[in-house]
Structure formats: C-alpha cells, structure tokens
Amino acid sequence: MAFRPLLPTTVRWRPLEGDGLEHLTIAPINTATGAAIRACGTIIGGRGGSPYGVFYRIDCTADWAVLSFLVETTDGRRLALLSDGKGHWQTEDGLALPQFDGCIDIDLYGSPFTNTLPIRRLEMMPEDGTVTLSMLYIPFDSFEPVRDGQRYTCITPERLYRYGAEDRVFTVDLPVDADGLVIDYPIYFKRVDA
C-alpha cells in the first residue's frame, strides 16, 4: 500500500519506560532547488540514568533522502551536518566526512521518527526482501556520530515493517500510519494524540 502525499502533520510519542515526550511537526516545503520535506522535533527524556532535552531539524529531498540535520541540546551541545542526498556528508564548514559515505539516512537516539526516513525513501513491498543500510547514528550522550548497520523488511503491504540491528541482536516490528510515521515501537515508544 502506497503512502499518501505528505501534508503538514504533528505527532507525539512517549517512552514506555520513564518520563519523556517527543513532539514532531513535519511538512512539505519549497526551497530554491524545489520541493522538500522538513521535520522539526523536540525530545525530552532519559535513558540509562542520563536525562536529555533535544531539538532537531531534518531537511530531506521530496523522495526522503536526508540533505541536512541540526541537533541541539538544552545544555548547549550542537551538531549540524550536510549531505548531497546520495550519502556524502560534510560539516557546516565544508569538511568532508568520508567515514559516512553511503549513509543516506540518519538515526537519532531516542526518536522513533527517524525510522520513517528509510521506510518512506525505499517504499518497500514484501517481495523486496530485506534491505541492509548504513545509517549515520547520533547518540544523545556523546553527540559523536557513528556508522550503524540496520536492516528493514516490509512484512505486510498494510504498512508493517521489521527493523533490526545488522548484528541481529535487536529486532522489532513497526506498524506505521499512512504517512509512514511509527505508531508503536514495542518496548520503547508509543504514539499519543497530538
């Protein structure tokens, strides 16, 4: 089943353990280079005994390839990187980051939203099998991006996807809505009304 064209949308998720909330607004935008997508979110939470407050902005092409992201914490840490949408990254100052070559998508620790990026970009069907991806992963404790292998499989055309760590230590089935946004992330997050 295809996803519907994106309209301005606001959703929230809460963690299943501990306190916290993610508030996301996502919408199509027009840029000098054409149509695009912007996601802006705020996350408050804590895992492993470390509380965090984070704001993020992710800009994507109209077909969901990440072009840039900014992540800022309430304690003043900041990370902003740019991409050509084909998996070539650089800092805001133009320093190339070849260690992330091939990472088209990003994964923010503590956010079920970033699962939407590969799900929408790939538009997989069950007959497509499993796709292994290299993600640019940003942990909220160190803010040091790392390369992370992840696997996605479309289980049913009714929008159920299996996410797994490449090392197969963790696997979870993610139902998504007509926008490709996660509804339920078992053991970690649950959608709540905005």
Side-chain angles (χ1 to χ4, degrees):
M1 180 177 287
F3 295 108
R4 67 183 173 199
L6 183 67
L7 297 173
T9 303
T10 298
V11 296
R12 291 180 174 181
W13 294 270
R14 66 172 173 79
L16 294 178
E17 291 186 13
D19 293 329
L21 186 68
E22 176 173 2
H23 178 94
L24 166 76
T25 299
I26 185 167
I29 59 171
N30 289 312
T31 68
T33 58
I37 298 163
R38 173 165 286 166
C40 294
T42 301
I43 306 170
I44 55 170
R47 287 197 352 222
S50 298
Y52 52 82
V54 174
F55 165 80
Y56 66 84
R57 185 184 70 232
I58 302 169
D59 286 344
C60 301
T61 63
D63 59 354
W64 295 84
V66 177
L67 294 172
S68 67
F69 72 88
L70 164 71
V71 184
E72 296 178 295
T73 64
T74 55
D75 64 8
R77 291 176 295 154
R78 180 179 189 277
L79 177 65
L81 298 178
L82 308 170
S83 173
D84 62 359
K86 298 176 182 156
H88 301 100
W89 291 89
Q90 65 181 15
T91 66
E92 289 179 299
D93 299 330
L95 176 66
L97 301 170
Q99 67 269 36
F100 302 121
D101 280 358
C103 297
I104 296 172
D105 307 296
I106 66 168
D107 185 6
L108 299 179
Y109 171 88
S111 174
F113 165 66
T114 48
N115 293 97
T116 296
L117 300 171
I119 288 171
R120 284 297 303 256
R121 183 175 61 79
L122 296 171
E123 295 187 10
M124 299 170 65
M125 294 300 291
E127 58 270 18
D128 295 328
T130 298
V131 176
T132 301
L133 304 168
S134 291
M135 309 292 274
L136 196 154
Y137 173 70
I138 298 92
F140 288 170
D141 55 355
S142 70
F143 253 48
E144 293 293 326
V146 297
R147 188 180 195 97
D148 184 46
Q150 299 182 1
R151 301 163 62 92
Y152 282 86
T153 308
C154 179
I155 302 300
T156 70
E158 290 77 31
R159 298 189 286 266
L160 181 65
Y161 293 84
R162 179 163 294 145
Y163 159 81
E166 189 175 25
D167 63 11
R168 299 180 187 202
V169 171
F170 178 75
T171 301
V172 66
D173 290 349
L174 303 173
V176 300
D177 65 13
D179 292 313
L181 298 165
V182 173
I183 297 168
D184 180 31
Y185 197 125
I187 78 169
Y188 287 121
F189 302 101
K190 183 81 172 172
R191 268 271 284 282
V192 294
D193 293 331

